[in-house]
Amino acid sequence: MTMKRFFDDAFHRPRALLLIAAAAATAIASGAMFLSMHEAEPIVAGPGVTSQKMLSDYVPAMAGTPADTPVFILEGAEPGGTALVLGGTHPQEISGLMGAVLMVENATPQRGRIIVLPQANRSGFTHTDPLEGFPHTYKIETAGGTRWFRVGMRLTNPVHQWPDPDLHLHPQSGERMVGWESRNLNRNFPGDPDGRYTTRLNAAIVALARAEGVDIVLDMHEAYPEYPIINMLVAHERAFEIATLTMIGLQTRGIAMDLMASPPALRGLSHREFGDHTEAFAILSETANPAMGRFRGRTDEALVVEGKDVNYVRAAALDRLFVPFDENGHPLRERTARQLATIEEMLIAYNEANPDKQVEVSGIPAYQAVIDEGIGRFLLPVPAQ
Ligand SMILES: [Zn+2]
């Protein structure tokens, strides 16, 4: 059939025209949605940010790739140590991103430096798993207007790294993992600059840590309430003393927190590989996110932000969870407050152990204030473009 004949026929068949129009409308709408998912949420440099870079400033090969990500440097007037704070290693675990954002927008070091990567795996923020009904974004109201943030996924977007092998081998150790873990930023440290997307990103973040002489790393995560490793710190053996003091500091403030040692045979994780391959003390934190779990009910923005779910209240009554869960749930503000309190206590513990290379910081939003007044109270207005 020639094109002319096709259009002649279509012209005489209103139903065909209608179908073509419907197909075009669907393609345009889904295309626009797809492209909009690749736009990152705005993060505002607060009063403590002294310079803002991109990861490609450390590893030029990252420039122009979807893995390139903002690096916020907060430097005090007095010299001291350097702390690296990672959010968004797993972009579904949103208290990590939010903890990092509140640091960037509020914290001001007096001594030493804090380097923050809020969106460590930016690719993971550009998709959600199919058939799970996850919202792509959520909103936080502030005095200066509405701010929006991404709900991403744990793994790199397959658009940026595909296909998955049947079996993934950790490059340095040869540890065998299921194929999709090749897209997991927290299974591929210390990375491989000549590898695929995810391992190149791992290597670039480690290169940043080495170039900046990072002394301590906190990698902020979440897991579902039925997973045993929640409200927990995981620490490399060199960081165990600091992590123990961090845990005690939190417990003293009434913030339940547990601690486990990084298993030496479990490779590719930030708490293992930063400890083994850099000078830094390496710690990972986990809070409990009901929007990630299998028991969850309706998965909407309210669940993502407010963290309330009757299914989890029932599961807690049946003793199936590893955190208490009542009708108040575990809202994002509480989980973010935990991450911030962990940073505070970790720096106190680090400073005690390292009096010559301290990191002193003010302005971190206080635990109870974040819970009582909400996250929006500590977010800055986004400047007009
Ligand atoms: Zn995680």
Side-chain angles (χ1 to χ4, degrees):
M1 181 191 291
T2 64
M3 286 302 278
K4 183 174 183 313
R5 171 85 189 281
F6 173 81
F7 284 110
D8 282 351
D9 279 0
F11 186 74
H12 294 294
R13 293 179 190 165
R15 197 170 62 171
L17 268 181
L18 211 65
L19 284 173
I20 289 170
T26 308
I28 289 167
S30 55
M33 194 184 291
F34 180 81
L35 289 176
S36 76
M37 287 185 73
H38 289 251
E39 183 192 347
E41 60 267 85
I43 298 173
V44 184
V49 175
T50 47
S51 73
Q52 196 178 334
K53 296 184 177 182
M54 293 295 283
L55 192 55
S56 57
D57 290 320
Y58 299 88
V59 179
M62 306 301 285
T65 73
D68 204 5
T69 192
V71 177
F72 295 90
I73 299 178
L74 294 71
E75 182 160 6
E78 300 289 325
T82 299
L84 174 63
V85 174
L86 300 177
T89 300
H90 287 154
Q92 187 179 14
E93 301 164 14
I94 57 176
S95 77
L97 170 105
M98 194 53 77
V101 168
L102 290 195
M103 286 297 291
V104 167
E105 302 198 6
N106 296 276
T108 304
Q110 283 73 50
R111 185 186 301 276
R113 299 186 303 164
I114 301 179
I115 301 176
V116 188
L117 272 70
Q119 302 145 322
N121 188 0
R122 247 187 170 184
S123 168
F125 285 97
T126 64
H127 70 132
T128 55
D129 282 350
L131 306 177
E132 292 281 350
F134 291 116
H136 303 165
T137 57
Y138 59 94
K139 293 182 281 302
I140 303 282
E141 297 303 331
T142 81
T146 305
R147 294 276 302 265
W148 68 272
F149 298 92
R150 285 266 173 236
V151 178
M153 279 294 112
R154 185 165 177 267
L155 304 176
T156 294
N157 190 335
V159 163
H160 299 134
Q161 181 178 316
W162 187 87
D164 291 339
D166 292 335
L167 199 63
H168 173 59
L169 300 181
H170 178 248
Q172 284 76 17
S173 66
E175 187 189 327
R176 289 152 35 123
M177 307 178 196
V178 63
W180 65 68
E181 297 287 34
S182 68
R183 289 184 286 122
N184 185 344
L185 189 64
N186 205 29
R187 290 295 181 280
N188 287 289
F189 284 111
D192 176 2
D194 301 315
R196 300 177 80 192
Y197 170 98
T198 307
T199 53
R200 287 203 304 272
L201 175 56
N202 284 105
I205 296 172
V206 171
L208 175 153
R210 287 189 182 133
E212 296 287 5
V214 166
D215 298 296
I216 185 162
V217 181
L218 180 70
D219 185 14
M220 297 184 290
H221 287 250
E222 296 200 283
Y224 37 91
E226 59 270 39
Y227 187 68
I229 302 174
I230 38 178
N231 289 348
M232 190 168 308
L233 306 173
V234 188
H236 188 271
E237 49 274 18
R238 285 197 293 107
F240 213 72
E241 188 183 332
I242 292 171
T244 305
L245 291 171
T246 305
M247 175 186 70
I248 293 169
L250 289 165
Q251 289 174 347
T252 307
R253 290 167 61 175
I255 305 169
M257 187 61 76
D258 227 323
L259 169 63
M260 71 174 274
S262 168
L266 205 57
R267 300 301 303 270
L269 295 128
S270 60
H271 48 75
R272 167 57 35 209
E273 309 296 349
F274 274 101
D276 281 1
H277 292 271
T278 77
E279 299 291 311
F281 301 107
I283 301 175
L284 180 147
S285 59
E286 295 271 7
T287 58
N289 179 352
M292 293 167 60
R294 298 321 309 181
F295 294 161
R296 73 181 192 273
R298 185 190 173 100
T299 309
D300 54 10
E301 210 179 314
L303 177 62
V304 164
V305 176
E306 294 305 326
K308 296 177 188 170
D309 193 313
V310 290
N311 292 351
Y312 274 106
V313 177
R314 287 193 204 109
L318 296 169
D319 205 18
R320 289 286 188 268
L321 305 183
F322 290 87
V323 283
F325 207 108
D326 62 19
E327 62 281 357
N328 297 316
H330 286 288
L332 178 58
R333 61 182 182 278
E334 176 221 294
R335 287 141 47 202
T336 303
R338 278 181 161 273
Q339 302 282 21
L340 294 171
T342 300
I343 295 172
E344 279 180 344
E345 293 298 330
M346 182 189 79
L347 291 178
I348 291 170
Y350 165 81
N351 287 344
E352 259 174 49
N354 299 273
D356 300 336
K357 288 188 88 179
Q358 296 200 341
V359 179
E360 277 178 22
V361 56
S362 61
I364 298 178
Y367 177 78
Q368 204 57 46
V370 175
I371 291 176
D372 293 345
E373 299 168 38
I375 290 167
R377 153 82 176 74
F378 300 99
L379 290 170
L380 299 174
V382 178
Q385 292 294 313

